[in-house]
Amino acid sequence: MIEIASLILLIIILSFLLVPSVFMIYSYFVDRNQKRHSVLKNYPLIGRVRYFFESIGPELRQYLFTGDNDGKPFSRKDYQNIVLPAKYKKRMVGFGSQRDFDQPGYYIKNTMFPKLTEELAIDQKEKIQTYAYYIEKEHLFSRREYRIQKESGPYFLDDQYAVTIGEQCTHPFVAKGLIGMSGMSYGALGDRAITALSLGLGRAGGTWMNTGEGGVSEYHLKGNVDLIMQIGPGLFGVRTQEGEMSWEELKKKSEIKQIKAFELKLAQGAKTRGGHVEAEKVTEEIAEIRNIKPYQTVDSPNRFKEFNNVYEMLDFIDRIRDVTGKPVGIKIVVGQQSDIDNLAKIMKETGQSPDFISVDGSEGGTGATYQELADSVGLPIKSAIPILHQALVDHDVRDRVKIIASGKLFTPDRIAIALALGADLVQVARAFMVTVGCIMAQVCHTNHCPVGVATTDKKLQQALDIEEKSYRVTNYVISIREGLFNIAAAAGLESPTELKDEHVSYKDLYDVIYENHLMTNKQ
């Protein structure tokens, strides 16, 4: 027995030695004779090591070498500002801010006599039952934590401050909260992610879910959350097989009670072009929802072929509103200021207008786009909002249209600044992805999302627990709404809806503080 055991041990040891040696010898001769990689041809073994570290470089930088405030597009601190309220329902920090106060930026002006909590216009009548985690002990290699049930106030807007979209419509849309989910299609995200988001948002109440341009799926409807159905140039969900607008399909969609409004997507911050979905993501189910062929790469057109100018677009909006009886908006990226001024001018001239305009900053995210579009086309959100707001004011049409802003507005202070610059509501996308498990692997376009969020792969999606993640979505929404009321109180306001440009200042590189309305006029 001892001899047999010794023989087995010897075989194991030899295997550990021989297998790597054989692989190295094989790789050496193969790499020496290949023509594609110069490094491998001259340095076969060292070149393999180089490519190994290159492949794991993003993970090493993300977790070991990048500072808390240095990561892009979201830093480690940004990530924690989403995860902590979502998982632990906590937003407290200690010792001091990590913000670089020597850099340019916006600041909210507090008042000498802030509002007391009981003076705020908060509707807390409905209580929300949720779950959050409590950390009992945290060690170097382990953490002991458990989930506890919590009852929370919803931090709804008081009825007098609720935001109404499409007041002239047969079925206007009333929002009791200022934050909703921006457009993320089923197909770009998997069914488990969409379901968790729907359940979490529905539980939080007072919010909405933008479907993205991929159409309405059964998973969007799971949580009984209010929906804004987005219609892109591909007309997914409201098209014929040939790609023409189907008014019959639009009418059917409008009869779904959860759909409260429709949005025409002219552009998106990260891609001023149509959407893109890889073939392997286009399952038969997704193809049926979009009325396209399965397992074929989908590229939406750059723009709608149904209209070529503002006049035709406004007519198209009117027809959708007539067919559905519900508010209709457009999603844009602010670029040429003359375009925005022309839009407002024609709205004044014709008396026609969208019920809302979603303005997306160039810092917004996407599942798939080109580098040149993501980095350099369109204006950032803090520049875009004042341009749109001021154009509507100048042409006396601001009261007709609600502005919904999006583009990395994932914390209460960022949202408050957007509201002060002229937004009425705010939409968030990537932060909601983080609440359901996104680790920012940046492989959304490949269908290989390691945590099952941005993929339709059934095996990868098993990592996403719907019930668990849905509560994190709920916690995040409630926490952000609470944070907005904290800021309103500090500014001496009853409600965050009262935030205006007079409540914000901008500090430049030379420590000069500008009043925001003066900056806007200079633009």
Side-chain angles (χ1 to χ4, degrees), residues 227-252:
L227 299 176
I228 294 178
M229 182 181 175
Q230 189 181 87
I231 303 172
L235 304 175
F236 302 129
V238 292
R239 60 178 259 158
T240 64
Q241 187 70 48
E242 293 73 34
E244 300 299 320
M245 181 70 182
S246 171
W247 297 99
E248 292 77 16
E249 284 296 325
L250 177 68
K251 180 64 176 173
K252 289 179 184 177

Side-chain angles (χ1 to χ4, degrees), residues 444-502:
C444 309
H445 59 295
T446 67
N447 205 35
H448 298 146
C449 174
V451 290
V453 177
T455 179
T456 56
D457 186 300
K458 295 296 182 184
K459 184 177 179 181
L460 290 172
Q461 285 195 74
Q462 290 175 6
L464 198 159
D465 186 284
I466 294 173
E467 189 260 357
E468 164 75 20
K469 301 304 185 185
S470 73
Y471 283 105
R472 301 193 188 190
V473 175
T474 301
N475 293 339
Y476 175 73
V477 175
I478 295 171
S479 296
I480 297 304
R481 292 197 296 231
E482 179 185 7
L484 280 175
F485 274 105
N486 288 343
I487 290 173
L493 306 173
E494 284 189 353
S495 169
T497 57
E498 295 182 303
L499 285 163
K500 299 289 184 279
D501 61 353
E502 65 202 57

Side-chain angles (χ1 to χ4, degrees), residues 120-127 153-159 176 485:
L120 296 173
I122 311 175
D123 180 354
Q124 297 280 47
K125 292 188 290 293
E126 298 178 29
K127 298 300 179 183
Y155 290 90
F156 288 149
L157 298 169
D158 193 71
D159 287 344
K176 291 274 285 181
F485 274 105

Side-chain angles (χ1 to χ4, degrees), residues 57 74 91 96 161 195 206 216 244 306 382 387 431 470 515:
F74 285 77
R91 291 179 296 104
Y161 290 107
T195 302
V216 178
E244 300 299 320
E306 284 72 21
K382 292 187 183 73
I387 290 173
S470 73
E515 296 297 328

Side-chain angles (χ1 to χ4, degrees), residues 66 69-75 408 442:
T66 302
N69 293 297
D70 297 335
K72 300 293 182 183
F74 285 77
S75 69
K408 294 185 76 172
Q442 299 187 52

